[in-house]
Amino acid sequence: MTEYLAVDGGTIAYEVAGSGPLIVLAHGMGDSRAAYRDAIPPLVAAGYRVAAVDLRGCGESSVDWPAWSRTAIAGDLLAVIRHLGGPAVLVGHSISGGAATIAAAQKPSLVTAVVELAPFTRKQSVRLGDLRVKRFRQGMLRLLGTGLFGSVPLWRSYLDVAYPGAKPAHWEERLDRIDSLLREPGRMKALQGMGRSAPTDAGAQLGNVQSPVLVVMASLDPDWAASAEGAAIVDGLPSGLGRLEMIEGAGHYPHDQFPDQVVALVLAFLESAARA
C-alpha cells in the first residue's frame, strides 16, 4: 500500500513490508520502486522491514521540485528514514547510489550501512577505449538522446541495452509501467533533470562515510567499465569500509535482472557488517 511523506518541496511516496531492522530501497532515474519488486520478498523473509521509495518526480511522488541533485535526493531519503524510525540500511541504484553516499556521510547515526548498485557516485569521463565497446556507444547515445529530446522511445531503447541477455519475467509489464509513468506531466522533466545533475557532490563525500559500504557492479553495464569504476569508488572511501562485488552477465539493473544474486550479496554483507 502506498504511503506518502510530505518533505520540503513536495511529497515522497513509499511502501513498507515486513518487520525488523529497516532497509530503505531507492531506485534510479526514470524508474520507480517497482524496480525492487522481486528483491523485497526475500529481504522481508530474512527478517527485515523494507521500505521502497519513489524518488522525487518519479513513481507516485510529486513532480514539481526545485532541484534534482543527489544531495536533494539524499535529503528525501533521510526524511523517510527519520519518519520510519531509523536507523536504516540504505540501498541506492545509479543516481541513488550517489545519494546514499551523501546521506551516510551527512547523518552517520541514521545510516548503518550502504549498498550501492551500479552507482553514479563520482565524476565521469569518457575515454577513447570506452567508445570501442559497442554496448557503451549504444547506451551513451540513447542516454544523451533521451536527455536532449525527452524521448520515451529512446529511453525504452536504452533499457533494452541496459538489460543485456535474459530479461526479467515481468519485462513487458516493467516497460509498459515505465512508459506510462514517463508520459505523465513532469516525469520526463525529472529524468532529464537528474540526468543533467553531476555526481561531484557524491564524490566529494566518499571520504566522509563512516558506515560499511557494499558496491555491486555488473559486468555488462553499458554505462562504464564496471569493475574499474567500482574499484575507484571503494578506493575513495576510508580504508577498509568498502567492498566490491561483481554480477556477471548483468547490465545496469542487476537488482531487477538477477535479484536473487543481489539479495544474497546484500544479506551476506549485512551479516559480515554485524559481526565487525
Side-chain angles (χ1 to χ4, degrees):
M1 182 177 69
T2 304
E3 300 182 58
Y4 298 92
L5 177 65
V7 300
D8 187 22
T11 302
I12 297 297
Y14 66 96
E15 63 180 283
V16 182
S19 60
L22 180 62
I23 296 180
V24 173
L25 307 176
H27 60 80
M29 71 180 194
D31 210 341
S32 74
R33 65 185 192 266
Y36 289 103
R37 186 177 80 170
D38 291 338
I40 292 172
L43 290 173
V44 169
Y48 288 94
R49 179 166 57 123
V50 182
V53 178
D54 284 332
L55 300 190
R56 53 174 56 198
C58 302
E60 296 179 76
S61 293
S62 59
V63 296
D64 294 320
W65 298 83
W68 304 105
S69 68
R70 287 155 182 77
T71 299
I73 294 169
D76 298 338
L77 297 176
L78 288 170
V80 171
I81 293 172
R82 289 191 194 95
H83 178 68
L84 294 176
V89 175
L90 188 49
V91 179
H93 169 238
S94 199
I95 188 172
S96 290
T101 297
I102 295 169
Q106 289 181 338
K107 297 295 180 181
S109 63
L110 289 178
V111 182
T112 57
V114 175
V115 178
E116 302 195 14
L117 306 172
F120 275 96
T121 305
R122 303 183 322 121
K123 181 180 179 181
Q124 299 297 305
S125 58
V126 178
R127 298 169 298 183
L128 183 60
D130 295 331
L131 295 175
R132 298 192 181 101
V133 180
K134 182 179 179 181
R135 67 174 181 277
F136 180 85
R137 293 197 309 273
Q138 291 177 326
M140 183 176 66
L141 289 173
R142 286 158 174 78
L143 283 173
L144 290 173
T146 302
L148 183 61
F149 302 112
S151 167
V152 175
L154 273 176
W155 182 250
R156 288 184 63 135
S157 182
Y158 163 74
L159 291 176
D160 191 57
V161 176
Y163 281 77
K167 302 293 192 288
H170 56 280
W171 177 241
E172 291 302 326
E173 179 185 340
R174 276 276 284 147
L175 278 184
D176 289 345
R177 173 65 172 159
I178 291 169
D179 190 296
S180 176
L181 284 170
L182 287 177
R183 294 183 189 278
E184 293 179 2
R187 302 221 182 273
M188 177 56 75
K189 176 185 174 183
L191 186 156
Q192 292 173 297
M194 290 179 189
R196 287 193 293 267
S197 68
T200 49
D201 55 350
Q205 292 285 4
L206 280 169
N208 298 324
V209 174
Q210 299 178 31
S211 51
V213 179
L214 171 65
V215 180
V216 178
M217 305 297 279
S219 65
L220 298 183
D221 194 321
D223 291 357
W224 45 49
S227 62
E229 180 62 22
I233 293 171
V234 170
D235 288 345
L237 293 163
S239 179
L241 270 192
R243 107 188 211 196
L244 171 64
E245 296 285 356
M246 296 291 299
I247 302 288
E248 293 299 323
H252 192 58
Y253 296 78
H255 53 296
D256 192 25
Q257 203 171 8
F258 296 102
D260 291 343
Q261 290 186 44
V262 170
V263 168
L265 288 174
V266 170
L267 293 177
F269 163 68
L270 295 179
E271 183 178 346
S272 174
R275 292 196 304 264

